[in-house]
Every structure is written in C-alpha cells, then in structure tokens.
Amino acid sequence: MLHHWRNNSLFMRIEEFFDNLTDNLKEYANIKIVSIKLSLVEKLSLLARDILSTLVIFFLTAAALLFALMATMILIARYIGFLYSSLLICAILGTVAFTVYLFRKKLFINMFIALFSKMFFNNDTAGNEKNELFQDKQH
C-alpha cells in the first residue's frame, strides 16, 4: 500500500511539474506575442513619423521652390519676355526632373534600405532611437 502511495505521489508531482511547465510556456508565449506587438507598434510609429515629417518637408520645400521659381521667372521676364522666361524655367525643371529620374535608384532605394534596416534590425542606431522613444516612460 505504501508503495502504491509513493508511485501515486510521484505521478502527481510529475503531473504538477508538467502542468506548471505548460502554464509557464503559455505565459511565455503570451508575453512574447505582446512583446512582438509592442515592437511592431514602435516600428510602425517610427515609420509614420519619418513619412509624415518627410511629406511636410517636401511640401514646404516645394512651395518655397515654386515661389522662388516664380520670382526668378518674373525677373528674367524683364529681359527676355514672359514666354521665354517661362520656357527657360520649364527647361530647368525638366532637366532637374530627368536627372532625378536617372539617379532614382541611388537616391531613393539606398535611402529606404538604410531607413528600413535601421528600423527593423537591432543595431546601435536603432537602439538609440528606441531609447529616445521611451526616455520619458517609466517601466
């Protein structure tokens, strides 16, 4: 009878051990899922920040360039006429656009590769941004 009790007790301890183990594994999996979600939210917020700030800078620069080109066109129009100054500004913008088109891979792809690699892989520069993001928070 004592032998039966010992086997039963051993079986109960093993069963408790596996129950605890499965509970701990479930808790670890849930914590890991939450960690992945938080990391994804952080990276998406950094991406949105970069996109929005780039758009704001782009539109402000485009507006400034538009007014500068209009002023240049008016200044040139005094000497060669409005039609020819408009054509000159158009030719300058076309040349700039064609140059950007030719170098688009070097200009944009390398920029996005650097941005995404910094954002999605843990390197020293991404760690600094992460520290800046959570600097004011208490964990």
Side-chain angles (χ1 to χ4, degrees):
M1 177 110 157
L2 184 62
H3 180 69
H4 177 68
W5 181 79
R6 284 185 184 164
N7 285 341
N8 199 16
S9 174
L10 180 64
F11 178 72
M12 291 179 73
R13 284 191 294 181
I14 291 173
E15 186 177 4
E16 282 181 23
F17 173 76
F18 281 114
D19 286 343
N20 286 339
L21 181 64
T22 56
D23 289 343
N24 287 338
L25 287 174
K26 287 178 185 176
E27 184 178 347
Y28 174 77
N30 287 334
I31 290 172
K32 195 66 175 171
I33 288 170
V34 168
S35 172
I36 290 169
K37 287 179 182 178
L38 286 173
S39 176
L40 185 61
V41 166
E42 176 190 0
K43 290 176 186 343
L44 288 174
S45 67
L46 290 173
L47 179 64
R49 177 201 65 185
D50 290 344
I51 288 172
L52 289 176
S53 64
T54 301
L55 283 175
V56 167
I57 290 170
F58 173 76
F59 284 124
L60 291 175
T61 303
L65 182 64
L66 176 70
F67 284 110
L69 288 173
M70 287 174 54
T72 305
M73 187 174 67
I74 292 169
L75 182 66
I76 294 173
R78 289 184 178 174
Y79 300 106
I80 61 174
F82 185 75
L83 178 66
Y84 292 121
S85 66
S86 297
L87 289 174
L88 180 65
I89 295 296
C90 182
I92 291 171
L93 285 176
T95 305
V96 169
F98 184 70
T99 305
V100 168
Y101 176 77
L102 288 177
F103 294 107
R104 69 189 179 278
K105 289 183 181 178
K106 287 183 180 181
L107 289 173
F108 298 114
I109 291 178
N110 291 340
M111 179 178 64
F112 287 122
I113 288 172
L115 175 71
F116 291 142
S117 67
K118 180 175 71 172
M119 190 176 300
F120 288 107
F121 296 105
N122 292 330
N123 54 19
D124 294 335
T125 56
N128 291 338
E129 282 188 356
K130 186 183 292 185
N131 291 337
E132 291 172 8
L133 183 65
F134 293 112
Q135 186 175 14
D136 298 333
K137 309 236 187 248
Q138 296 292 328
H139 297 307

